[in-house]
Amino acid sequence: MQGILPGDANGDGVVNILDVITIASYIMGQNPESFVFENANVNGDGIINILDMVETANIILGEG
């Protein structure tokens, strides 16, 4: 079992723009094929929303 990697919503071991897209897809109810809730829940509030997308973008930009 892979450990938690904040922001790695698609579970590929790398945090990048594809993870932001995966979180957006989840929020819009599109049920992405590969989705790791624990990684996508970047702020740890138990809810996947726009704040998690922003936090993931911050990680990508080196600000998180």
Side-chain angles (χ1 to χ4, degrees), residues 18 24 39 54:
L18 296 176
N39 292 347
V54 170

Side-chain angles (χ1 to χ4, degrees), residues 4-42:
I4 296 175
L5 177 58
D8 183 22
N10 63 6
D12 67 356
V14 180
V15 180
N16 57 29
I17 191 64
L18 296 176
D19 297 299
V20 176
I21 293 168
T22 300
I23 294 171
S25 295
Y26 179 85
I27 291 170
M28 294 186 298
Q30 296 177 350
N31 298 321
E33 185 174 320
S34 180
F35 186 76
V36 183
F37 187 93
E38 294 79 11
N39 292 347
N41 184 27
V42 180

